[in-house]
Amino acid sequence: MMKGNEAIGEAAIRAGCRFYFGYPITPQNELLEYMARKLPEVGGCFLQSESELAGASMLYGAAAAGKRVMTSSSSPGISLMQETVSYLASAELPAVIVNISRGSPGLGRITPAQSDYNQATKGGGHGDYNILVFAPASVQEMMDLTMLAYELSDQYRIPAMILGDGIVGQMMESVVLPEPVETIPEKSWAACGCQGRERNLVISAPFTDEDLIDLNRRLQEKYRVIIEREQRAEMIHTEDAEFIFVAFGIVSRLAHSVVDSLREKGCKVGMIRPQTLWPFPDDAFNRIPRAKGVLVVEMNEGQMLIDVRLALNGRVPVRHYGRGGGWVPSPDSIEAEMLKLMEEVEKNAVSL
Amino acid sequence: MQLVFNKPESLTVNPFTYCPGCSHGIAHRLVGEVIDEMQLREKIVGVSTIGCSVRCWRNFDFDIVQGAHGRGMAVATGLKRALPDQVIFTYQGDGDLAAIGMGETIHAAVRGEAITVVFINNAVFGATGGQLAPTTLPGQWTSTYPKGRDVSWTGSPINMSEILAGLPATTYIAREALTTPKNVLRAKKYMRKAFEAQTLHGGFGLVELLGSCPVNLKLKPVEALNWVEKNMIPQYPLGEFKDTGKEAAS
Amino acid sequence: MIRNYNIAGFGGQGILYLGQCLAFAGMLSGKHSTWIPSYGPEMRGGTANCMVVISSDLIRSPLVYSSDVAIILNQPSLEKYGPGVKTGGALLYVSELACPKNPLNGVNLWPIPAKAMAEELKLPMSMNMIMLGALLTIDPILSVNEAEEAIKEITPAHRSQLIEMNIRALQAGREYIEKENLAALQPARGRGGG
């Protein structure tokens, strides 16, 4: 058994990450401390930075050198790191950033929340860019999606984020440890001294106006490929489901228990559980042929809701159940919301 | 025909795009010469930061990583930790190093990162058009304080070399002015020692170069150099502030 | 088979460790298990609690809303978590440190004099393990042996001297229930609860 936060650290090391830079903030300190203990054992480097600004830039430097790197924080610290995330996107550097998010805005409280959905999935910093965003719902997925994050981040030269919450970060659960990665892909673009080759530049400030427009075009082309190939979602009883939950992270587990209990009562309910939040699994919403109503449950005021609405494009009525600020819905209340939606639809009293 | 003057191998053939009379050209050439002479071109990674010199990779012919504004030494820290056998240096202006990047600067020096810093101090924000820098002199005209720097309102200029020399983990700190051929030659010597602080002693080396920004000072190039001599040097005295490598050797 | 546990008491009583032993033992027995500590402001407030779920199937919610079993080591926790025990569930509490003030209908009450027992063992910090030994004797979905294995597994190397002490306390909890002839949850239905 492992804590979710530690599982991320273990997976990172197994994925070949040897460089961690970060600044303490609850509720993700177990990850920082895990890396502080474990990285020296495998010849890696742990460095506690003077701020999230500096930590993210250290990450940028080590990523530019071609290494697998990690930093982690929680919501207010992630806001500070957005400066570098935009640079990483522009310089097309792979890096894995972990956000064990908390109740916000402002300092907020360390209670679990999903209020950073928009920040994570719509770029977060300045500019037309996206990063991969993974939403683990279990400790096992903390490991598996971290391994995947490194693989895809390298493959596409794009930053990746693990977006968790305090519950998944703090909980312990049994895990099957993934096999360590044997070989990390060669990075011919890395800035590590130009012996025997032309020099490499890792830059985010092209020299001409046209160069920057070209960079943007190239990024968008890459994003299109990723959207096409890398959407991931778990489909639960969606083949015959008439009413469908959409939930990610810890909320999906609460909603899953409601799917079980409503199925026992004979209700045809199911769930789409996005595992990637960017790219958002739009395609999953084309595979719910019998859907009459969709209930988005999230620990925020309606952020994923917008992506669900876009994916459905008016085909099915969508309702939202959620609050920000560190509120966790109980399975009973989730069930009640679904029953309400079902009743509205049956009475034909529902609008889009 | 005898070749009497050539560009260093560590510089590209691209012409400098700096303003007439700007000191960056001299500083760039010194960097190129020192890297050539120390035979570091193939094992160096430079960090460019935000300001006039953000695109110094146009002129430096080796691996470059461009960081965010002020974060040069944090980027260099990541690079050095990842590439302990390579030579890492940053090229930073006064706004970058001493205003927005003060935290990163101080903490890299506190850790004694084995990096080299080439610090260009011209007492003004150049790239953005002549605004107040932390190093702006009392009474000096800037576009944000057109009546001159009033120290009761904006504080006093900050002497970075003296501050960094006071930190126990730094190895080599020196300041020179790029005003006269004699000073330029001494600047090159100091710059080499700032690199040697890293390559010979595994420590933090910094050379601060007082330069001129004629456009923003609204002076002709020669007048601007005279202004540096007359006004900047009294505030920013020249010389070596720290050389623990020498102390270790003697 | 599924069990939802709330475990609560003062900080320093080994509440989180108790929960971890239980969850680990669940894993060692081949079941699924989850453990969530209280974290947040409460961490600093002197109280500690954790939620454990053990199930033969994949666990959906690791959060415990109503519990099959509550293990309580102080009065404030009893007041907070006692009412959340399901009908037919069990409430184990340290009888010297907590006492139900209001009737808890349909809940099996198990007062355990763990404080006196710990003092008798000369292991004053071992109330948590006594309660765990008692729990696994009352509701033997896991064996005490599995709990012993869990203790060995999760106790850090630099505190290995605690393993033997913890196992002794665990056994004391088991013996107390056996001696009092209070074995098994089912026959005890109707006890207590007012």
Side-chain angles (χ1 to χ4, degrees):
Chain A
M1 290 186 88
M2 282 188 112
K3 261 195 175 191
N5 284 335
E6 296 184 337
I8 294 174
E10 181 58 32
I13 290 170
R14 283 168 183 262
C17 168
R18 292 293 178 273
F19 296 88
Y20 177 97
F21 307 94
Y23 185 83
I25 182 170
T26 311
Q28 61 81 53
N29 293 318
E30 293 84 2
L31 173 51
L32 178 91
E33 289 161 4
Y34 191 84
M35 296 309 248
R37 282 200 308 277
K38 297 285 178 171
L39 275 174
E41 291 175 10
V42 293
C45 162
F46 167 88
L47 192 61
Q48 183 174 326
S49 59
E50 62 269 26
S51 68
E52 289 91 346
L53 293 169
S57 274
M58 291 171 186
L59 173 95
Y60 178 90
K67 307 298 183 184
R68 283 196 165 172
V69 297
M70 175 172 272
T71 187
S72 62
S73 190
S74 180
S75 309
I78 294 290
S79 291
L80 285 172
M81 290 182 181
Q82 294 302 339
E83 169 187 67
T84 290
V85 179
S86 177
Y87 277 73
L88 288 166
S90 172
E92 298 186 80
L93 288 179
V96 176
I97 299 156
V98 180
N99 181 1
I100 304 298
S101 57
R102 59 198 268 180
S104 294
L107 176 63
R109 295 177 68 78
I110 64 178
T111 41
Q114 298 179 325
S115 300
D116 298 349
Y117 178 95
N118 280 347
Q119 185 197 51
T121 59
K122 314 300 178 210
H126 56 287
D128 278 299
Y129 73 89
N130 284 103
I131 62 172
L132 298 169
V133 183
F134 297 92
S138 65
V139 177
Q140 185 68 52
E141 265 193 352
M142 289 288 226
M143 297 202 99
D144 297 345
L145 293 180
T146 299
M147 300 289 283
L148 182 65
Y150 277 103
E151 186 189 322
L152 297 183
S153 178
D154 269 357
Q155 182 182 334
Y156 293 104
R157 291 186 61 185
I158 183 174
M161 176 175 281
I162 305 292
L163 182 61
D165 58 72
I167 298 175
V168 189
Q170 296 287 330
M171 71 184 283
M172 281 180 106
E173 210 167 11
S174 47
V175 286
V176 180
L177 297 176
E179 284 299 308
V181 171
E182 297 285 334
T183 45
I184 294 169
E186 193 74 17
K187 288 165 181 172
S188 58
W189 46 262
C192 50
C194 64
Q195 189 167 15
R197 60 160 167 77
E198 290 288 295
R199 67 176 182 152
N200 283 335
L201 299 175
V202 177
I203 56 173
S204 72
F207 191 61
T208 66
D209 296 345
E210 291 74 26
D211 289 347
L212 183 54
I213 292 167
D214 278 351
L215 168 68
N216 273 271
R217 197 173 300 142
R218 203 170 67 244
L219 290 177
Q220 292 305 319
E221 196 46 52
K222 173 161 80 177
Y223 298 156
R224 266 191 287 279
V225 173
I226 294 173
I227 288 168
E228 201 179 292
R229 293 188 193 156
E230 306 298 348
Q231 297 178 26
R232 282 169 173 79
E234 186 187 2
M235 310 291 283
I236 296 157
H237 300 313
T238 44
E239 327 73 50
D240 68 338
E242 295 176 346
F243 293 90
I244 293 177
F245 289 106
V246 187
F248 71 95
I250 186 63
V251 182
S252 69
R253 296 182 63 153
L254 306 176
H256 201 160
S257 71
V258 178
V259 170
D260 290 349
S261 68
L262 284 175
R263 281 262 162 189
E264 275 173 30
K265 293 174 190 166
C267 304
K268 287 192 172 165
V269 294
M271 178 161 72
I272 295 175
R273 177 173 78 84
Q275 291 161 299
T276 54
L277 301 179
W278 196 91
F280 189 71
D282 289 312
D283 296 347
F285 291 82
N286 297 327
R287 291 186 276 129
I288 45 171
R290 291 168 195 275
K292 293 185 194 167
V294 166
L295 181 64
V296 181
V297 190
E298 47 185 342
M299 300 193 295
N300 60 46
E301 298 286 348
Q303 299 193 15
M304 181 170 65
L305 171 67
I306 294 158
D307 285 333
V308 172
R309 285 205 165 123
L310 286 171
L312 284 166
N313 200 16
R315 294 198 302 273
V316 182
V318 181
R319 284 285 175 277
H320 178 256
Y321 179 50
R323 303 223 198 311
W327 163 93
V328 183
S330 70
D332 287 351
S333 70
I334 295 172
E335 184 168 323
E337 285 294 316
M338 184 53 109
L339 290 171
K340 206 163 84 188
L341 172 64
M342 289 161 75
E343 196 184 316
E344 278 177 43
V345 169
E346 297 306 333
K347 281 186 185 160
N348 226 353
V350 72
S351 59
L352 294 169
Chain B
M1 204 187 335
Q2 195 192 353
L3 184 68
V4 294
F5 188 79
N6 199 1
K7 75 164 187 65
E9 208 191 329
S10 296
L11 294 184
T12 65
V13 295
N14 297 326
F16 293 129
T17 50
Y18 299 107
C19 309
C22 169
S23 296
H24 274 307
I26 298 172
H28 279 24
R29 182 167 175 103
L30 292 183
V31 169
E33 287 182 3
V34 168
I35 289 174
D36 276 10
E37 285 165 23
M38 294 177 73
Q39 298 184 311
L40 297 178
R41 195 186 83 85
E42 294 193 324
K43 60 176 305 186
I44 201 157
V45 182
V47 177
S48 78
T49 55
I50 315 301
C52 291
S53 63
V54 62
R55 292 183 184 85
C56 63
W57 47 264
R58 287 269 299 159
N59 303 110
F60 289 145
D61 193 10
F62 41 76
D63 283 7
I64 296 274
V65 177
Q66 176 233 317
H69 195 21
R71 318 288 172 235
M73 291 189 213
V75 174
T77 297
L79 279 162
K80 185 67 183 187
R81 299 292 176 132
L83 306 167
D85 298 331
Q86 305 299 67
V87 178
I88 311 295
F89 86 103
T90 69
Y91 188 100
Q92 299 177 262
D94 42 56
D96 193 275
L97 178 142
I100 190 167
M102 181 60 99
E104 287 73 12
T105 299
I106 292 288
H107 283 279
V110 162
R111 291 190 300 268
E113 290 294 336
I115 59 174
T116 301
V117 178
V118 177
F119 169 34
I120 310 297
N121 176 2
N122 59 12
V124 74
F125 273 58
T128 45
Q131 296 84 4
L132 179 94
T135 48
T136 294
L137 302 177
Q140 181 187 334
W141 180 92
T142 57
S143 66
T144 43
Y145 293 95
K147 290 179 179 169
R149 182 174 191 166
D150 175 355
V151 295
S152 73
W153 187 258
T154 65
S156 301
I158 188 158
N159 288 39
M160 289 307 297
S161 284
E162 287 85 337
I163 288 173
L164 297 174
L167 297 173
T170 53
T171 298
Y172 181 81
I173 310 285
R175 182 189 289 127
E176 190 44 83
L178 300 176
T179 47
T180 65
K182 192 174 160 194
N183 285 352
V184 169
L185 288 174
R186 200 180 301 119
K188 182 176 168 185
K189 191 179 96 184
Y190 290 170
M191 187 184 289
R192 182 172 177 128
K193 289 175 87 170
F195 275 101
E196 284 172 351
Q198 177 181 178
T199 58
L200 301 181
H201 309 296
F204 179 98
L206 176 141
V207 58
E208 175 177 346
L209 304 172
L210 303 184
S212 62
C213 183
V215 168
N216 285 311
L217 291 169
K218 308 211 179 301
L219 296 170
K220 289 177 181 155
V222 175
E223 291 170 358
L225 288 177
N226 289 337
W227 183 89
V228 171
E229 290 257 323
K230 183 163 166 271
N231 297 293
M232 281 189 79
I233 292 175
Q235 170 69 38
Y236 301 113
L238 308 181
E240 291 176 296
F241 295 88
K242 190 172 190 181
D243 187 358
T244 59
K246 187 176 78 183
E247 286 154 25
S250 63
Chain C
M1 189 291 296
I2 184 164
R3 290 285 187 280
N4 289 286
Y5 302 90
N6 268 318
I7 304 166
F10 287 122
Q13 286 180 323
I15 298 294
L16 302 186
Y17 181 82
L18 195 177
Q20 282 189 7
C21 286
L22 180 60
F24 258 86
M27 184 191 73
L28 294 175
S29 75
K31 297 181 182 65
H32 298 274
S33 55
T34 59
W35 170 91
I36 300 182
S38 57
Y39 80 97
E42 286 181 53
M43 250 172 93
R44 310 277 178 265
T47 63
N49 71 282
C50 61
M51 303 170 181
V52 172
V53 181
I54 296 177
S55 171
S56 47
D57 297 317
L58 272 174
I59 294 166
R60 304 289 190 232
S61 169
L63 298 173
V64 174
Y65 289 88
S66 57
S67 60
D68 299 297
V69 180
I71 305 169
I72 299 299
L73 277 76
N74 69 4
Q75 186 64 29
S77 299
L78 191 140
E79 280 158 30
K80 186 169 176 193
Y81 294 102
V85 181
K86 291 177 190 168
T87 304
L91 174 63
L92 284 72
Y93 58 95
V94 177
S95 56
E96 300 100 323
L97 300 179
C99 174
K101 285 182 182 158
N102 302 310
L104 295 163
N105 289 321
V107 173
N108 301 298
L109 298 182
W110 296 91
I112 312 225
K115 188 164 185 283
M117 289 166 67
E119 278 160 14
E120 198 174 310
L121 288 169
K122 299 200 172 17
L123 300 171
M125 300 301 289
S126 70
M127 285 190 293
N128 58 345
M129 291 295 106
I130 292 171
M131 296 303 279
L132 179 60
L135 168 74
L136 296 181
T137 315
I138 292 166
D139 183 23
I141 60 154
L142 310 171
S143 68
V144 173
N145 282 346
E146 281 156 349
E148 286 183 14
E149 287 307 306
I151 288 171
K152 288 176 193 163
E153 188 119 338
I154 66 171
T155 305
H158 66 279
R159 310 190 73 177
S160 57
Q161 78 283 2
L162 295 179
I163 292 174
E164 185 267 335
M165 298 179 199
N166 280 336
I167 290 176
R168 258 171 49 210
L170 195 73
Q171 296 294 356
R174 177 178 61 80
E175 285 159 17
Y176 173 78
I177 299 294
E178 285 173 352
K179 193 173 69 195
E180 300 285 311
N181 196 19
L182 301 172
L185 191 59
Q186 294 305 325
R189 182 170 290 160
R191 268 175 54 88

PDB file of all heavy atoms in Angstrom, chain C residues 64-81:
ATOM      1  N   VAL C  64     -15.778   7.413   4.040  1.00  0.00           N
ATOM      2  CA  VAL C  64     -16.769   6.688   4.836  1.00  0.00           C
ATOM      3  C   VAL C  64     -17.812   7.690   5.320  1.00  0.00           C
ATOM      4  O   VAL C  64     -17.472   8.648   6.021  1.00  0.00           O
ATOM      5  CB  VAL C  64     -16.093   5.982   6.032  1.00  0.00           C
ATOM      6  CG1 VAL C  64     -17.143   5.361   6.936  1.00  0.00           C
ATOM      7  CG2 VAL C  64     -15.106   4.935   5.519  1.00  0.00           C
ATOM      8  N   TYR C  65     -19.026   7.505   4.874  1.00  0.00           N
ATOM      9  CA  TYR C  65     -20.108   8.396   5.313  1.00  0.00           C
ATOM     10  C   TYR C  65     -20.847   7.789   6.496  1.00  0.00           C
ATOM     11  O   TYR C  65     -21.038   8.408   7.521  1.00  0.00           O
ATOM     12  CB  TYR C  65     -21.037   8.722   4.145  1.00  0.00           C
ATOM     13  CG  TYR C  65     -20.347   9.625   3.158  1.00  0.00           C
ATOM     14  CD1 TYR C  65     -19.581   9.109   2.115  1.00  0.00           C
ATOM     15  CD2 TYR C  65     -20.401  11.010   3.309  1.00  0.00           C
ATOM     16  CE1 TYR C  65     -18.904   9.938   1.234  1.00  0.00           C
ATOM     17  CE2 TYR C  65     -19.730  11.855   2.430  1.00  0.00           C
ATOM     18  CZ  TYR C  65     -18.990  11.315   1.395  1.00  0.00           C
ATOM     19  OH  TYR C  65     -18.329  12.144   0.536  1.00  0.00           O
ATOM     20  N   SER C  66     -21.292   6.533   6.362  1.00  0.00           N
ATOM     21  CA  SER C  66     -21.805   5.832   7.527  1.00  0.00           C
ATOM     22  C   SER C  66     -20.989   4.546   7.654  1.00  0.00           C
ATOM     23  O   SER C  66     -20.657   3.913   6.658  1.00  0.00           O
ATOM     24  CB  SER C  66     -23.295   5.537   7.371  1.00  0.00           C
ATOM     25  OG  SER C  66     -23.508   4.796   6.191  1.00  0.00           O
ATOM     26  N   SER C  67     -20.652   4.220   8.895  1.00  0.00           N
ATOM     27  CA  SER C  67     -19.664   3.159   9.088  1.00  0.00           C
ATOM     28  C   SER C  67     -20.308   1.855   9.543  1.00  0.00           C
ATOM     29  O   SER C  67     -21.351   1.859  10.199  1.00  0.00           O
ATOM     30  CB  SER C  67     -18.611   3.618  10.102  1.00  0.00           C
ATOM     31  OG  SER C  67     -19.222   3.904  11.338  1.00  0.00           O
ATOM     32  N   ASP C  68     -19.651   0.759   9.177  1.00  0.00           N
ATOM     33  CA  ASP C  68     -20.019  -0.532   9.759  1.00  0.00           C
ATOM     34  C   ASP C  68     -19.431  -0.645  11.155  1.00  0.00           C
ATOM     35  O   ASP C  68     -20.026  -1.266  12.035  1.00  0.00           O
ATOM     36  CB  ASP C  68     -19.478  -1.669   8.882  1.00  0.00           C
ATOM     37  CG  ASP C  68     -20.058  -1.611   7.479  1.00  0.00           C
ATOM     38  OD1 ASP C  68     -21.285  -1.751   7.353  1.00  0.00           O
ATOM     39  OD2 ASP C  68     -19.288  -1.393   6.513  1.00  0.00           O
ATOM     40  N   VAL C  69     -18.265  -0.062  11.309  1.00  0.00           N
ATOM     41  CA  VAL C  69     -17.583  -0.131  12.596  1.00  0.00           C
ATOM     42  C   VAL C  69     -16.937   1.223  12.887  1.00  0.00           C
ATOM     43  O   VAL C  69     -16.341   1.828  11.996  1.00  0.00           O
ATOM     44  CB  VAL C  69     -16.468  -1.207  12.578  1.00  0.00           C
ATOM     45  CG1 VAL C  69     -15.756  -1.257  13.933  1.00  0.00           C
ATOM     46  CG2 VAL C  69     -17.019  -2.583  12.224  1.00  0.00           C
ATOM     47  N   ALA C  70     -17.105   1.670  14.143  1.00  0.00           N
ATOM     48  CA  ALA C  70     -16.341   2.843  14.580  1.00  0.00           C
ATOM     49  C   ALA C  70     -15.462   2.414  15.749  1.00  0.00           C
ATOM     50  O   ALA C  70     -15.919   1.688  16.633  1.00  0.00           O
ATOM     51  CB  ALA C  70     -17.272   3.966  14.990  1.00  0.00           C
ATOM     52  N   ILE C  71     -14.200   2.854  15.708  1.00  0.00           N
ATOM     53  CA  ILE C  71     -13.273   2.579  16.813  1.00  0.00           C
ATOM     54  C   ILE C  71     -12.906   3.925  17.406  1.00  0.00           C
ATOM     55  O   ILE C  71     -12.353   4.797  16.718  1.00  0.00           O
ATOM     56  CB  ILE C  71     -12.012   1.848  16.303  1.00  0.00           C
ATOM     57  CG1 ILE C  71     -12.428   0.581  15.555  1.00  0.00           C
ATOM     58  CG2 ILE C  71     -11.089   1.510  17.463  1.00  0.00           C
ATOM     59  CD1 ILE C  71     -11.287  -0.057  14.793  1.00  0.00           C
ATOM     60  N   ILE C  72     -13.260   4.096  18.673  1.00  0.00           N
ATOM     61  CA  ILE C  72     -13.263   5.433  19.265  1.00  0.00           C
ATOM     62  C   ILE C  72     -12.364   5.457  20.494  1.00  0.00           C
ATOM     63  O   ILE C  72     -12.516   4.628  21.395  1.00  0.00           O
ATOM     64  CB  ILE C  72     -14.713   5.809  19.663  1.00  0.00           C
ATOM     65  CG1 ILE C  72     -15.604   5.816  18.419  1.00  0.00           C
ATOM     66  CG2 ILE C  72     -14.747   7.125  20.407  1.00  0.00           C
ATOM     67  CD1 ILE C  72     -15.221   6.808  17.351  1.00  0.00           C
ATOM     68  N   LEU C  73     -11.460   6.438  20.522  1.00  0.00           N
ATOM     69  CA  LEU C  73     -10.532   6.514  21.651  1.00  0.00           C
ATOM     70  C   LEU C  73     -10.705   7.767  22.507  1.00  0.00           C
ATOM     71  O   LEU C  73      -9.896   8.007  23.398  1.00  0.00           O
ATOM     72  CB  LEU C  73      -9.076   6.375  21.163  1.00  0.00           C
ATOM     73  CG  LEU C  73      -8.608   4.930  20.962  1.00  0.00           C
ATOM     74  CD1 LEU C  73      -9.175   4.306  19.696  1.00  0.00           C
ATOM     75  CD2 LEU C  73      -7.087   4.822  20.979  1.00  0.00           C
ATOM     76  N   ASN C  74     -11.728   8.575  22.235  1.00  0.00           N
ATOM     77  CA  ASN C  74     -12.001   9.677  23.164  1.00  0.00           C
ATOM     78  C   ASN C  74     -13.448  10.146  23.021  1.00  0.00           C
ATOM     79  O   ASN C  74     -14.151   9.766  22.075  1.00  0.00           O
ATOM     80  CB  ASN C  74     -11.006  10.835  22.985  1.00  0.00           C
ATOM     81  CG  ASN C  74     -11.188  11.580  21.673  1.00  0.00           C
ATOM     82  OD1 ASN C  74     -12.099  11.303  20.886  1.00  0.00           O
ATOM     83  ND2 ASN C  74     -10.317  12.545  21.428  1.00  0.00           N
ATOM     84  N   GLN C  75     -13.861  10.958  23.954  1.00  0.00           N
ATOM     85  CA  GLN C  75     -15.274  11.349  24.016  1.00  0.00           C
ATOM     86  C   GLN C  75     -15.720  12.191  22.809  1.00  0.00           C
ATOM     87  O   GLN C  75     -16.761  11.908  22.219  1.00  0.00           O
ATOM     88  CB  GLN C  75     -15.537  12.097  25.334  1.00  0.00           C
ATOM     89  CG  GLN C  75     -16.993  12.445  25.593  1.00  0.00           C
ATOM     90  CD  GLN C  75     -17.871  11.198  25.753  1.00  0.00           C
ATOM     91  OE1 GLN C  75     -17.392  10.152  26.192  1.00  0.00           O
ATOM     92  NE2 GLN C  75     -19.142  11.302  25.390  1.00  0.00           N
ATOM     93  N   PRO C  76     -14.934  13.241  22.427  1.00  0.00           N
ATOM     94  CA  PRO C  76     -15.399  14.045  21.280  1.00  0.00           C
ATOM     95  C   PRO C  76     -15.588  13.194  20.017  1.00  0.00           C
ATOM     96  O   PRO C  76     -16.531  13.416  19.253  1.00  0.00           O
ATOM     97  CB  PRO C  76     -14.270  15.065  21.076  1.00  0.00           C
ATOM     98  CG  PRO C  76     -13.499  15.096  22.343  1.00  0.00           C
ATOM     99  CD  PRO C  76     -13.689  13.774  23.020  1.00  0.00           C
ATOM    100  N   SER C  77     -14.725  12.212  19.837  1.00  0.00           N
ATOM    101  CA  SER C  77     -14.845  11.369  18.643  1.00  0.00           C
ATOM    102  C   SER C  77     -16.081  10.492  18.723  1.00  0.00           C
ATOM    103  O   SER C  77     -16.732  10.228  17.712  1.00  0.00           O
ATOM    104  CB  SER C  77     -13.607  10.491  18.489  1.00  0.00           C
ATOM    105  OG  SER C  77     -12.463  11.285  18.331  1.00  0.00           O
ATOM    106  N   LEU C  78     -16.404  10.060  19.940  1.00  0.00           N
ATOM    107  CA  LEU C  78     -17.594   9.223  20.082  1.00  0.00           C
ATOM    108  C   LEU C  78     -18.833  10.039  19.705  1.00  0.00           C
ATOM    109  O   LEU C  78     -19.727   9.576  18.997  1.00  0.00           O
ATOM    110  CB  LEU C  78     -17.704   8.711  21.516  1.00  0.00           C
ATOM    111  CG  LEU C  78     -18.766   7.630  21.700  1.00  0.00           C
ATOM    112  CD1 LEU C  78     -18.275   6.543  22.640  1.00  0.00           C
ATOM    113  CD2 LEU C  78     -20.072   8.207  22.193  1.00  0.00           C
ATOM    114  N   GLU C  79     -18.834  11.289  20.150  1.00  0.00           N
ATOM    115  CA  GLU C  79     -19.992  12.124  19.834  1.00  0.00           C
ATOM    116  C   GLU C  79     -20.073  12.421  18.334  1.00  0.00           C
ATOM    117  O   GLU C  79     -21.155  12.524  17.764  1.00  0.00           O
ATOM    118  CB  GLU C  79     -19.929  13.429  20.652  1.00  0.00           C
ATOM    119  CG  GLU C  79     -20.417  13.193  22.073  1.00  0.00           C
ATOM    120  CD  GLU C  79     -19.912  14.210  23.081  1.00  0.00           C
ATOM    121  OE1 GLU C  79     -19.673  15.367  22.690  1.00  0.00           O
ATOM    122  OE2 GLU C  79     -19.752  13.836  24.263  1.00  0.00           O
ATOM    123  N   LYS C  80     -18.901  12.524  17.708  1.00  0.00           N
ATOM    124  CA  LYS C  80     -18.891  12.847  16.281  1.00  0.00           C
ATOM    125  C   LYS C  80     -19.229  11.629  15.415  1.00  0.00           C
ATOM    126  O   LYS C  80     -19.990  11.735  14.461  1.00  0.00           O
ATOM    127  CB  LYS C  80     -17.512  13.404  15.892  1.00  0.00           C
ATOM    128  CG  LYS C  80     -17.444  13.899  14.462  1.00  0.00           C
ATOM    129  CD  LYS C  80     -16.168  14.680  14.183  1.00  0.00           C
ATOM    130  CE  LYS C  80     -16.097  15.063  12.705  1.00  0.00           C
ATOM    131  NZ  LYS C  80     -14.778  15.549  12.326  1.00  0.00           N
ATOM    132  N   TYR C  81     -18.639  10.493  15.726  1.00  0.00           N
ATOM    133  CA  TYR C  81     -18.753   9.338  14.823  1.00  0.00           C
ATOM    134  C   TYR C  81     -19.756   8.291  15.288  1.00  0.00           C
ATOM    135  O   TYR C  81     -20.185   7.458  14.496  1.00  0.00           O
ATOM    136  CB  TYR C  81     -17.382   8.681  14.612  1.00  0.00           C
ATOM    137  CG  TYR C  81     -16.435   9.602  13.882  1.00  0.00           C
ATOM    138  CD1 TYR C  81     -15.442  10.297  14.572  1.00  0.00           C
ATOM    139  CD2 TYR C  81     -16.571   9.808  12.513  1.00  0.00           C
ATOM    140  CE1 TYR C  81     -14.592  11.169  13.909  1.00  0.00           C
ATOM    141  CE2 TYR C  81     -15.733  10.682  11.843  1.00  0.00           C
ATOM    142  CZ  TYR C  81     -14.749  11.359  12.545  1.00  0.00           C
ATOM    143  OH  TYR C  81     -13.926  12.225  11.878  1.00  0.00           O
TER     144      TYR C  81
END
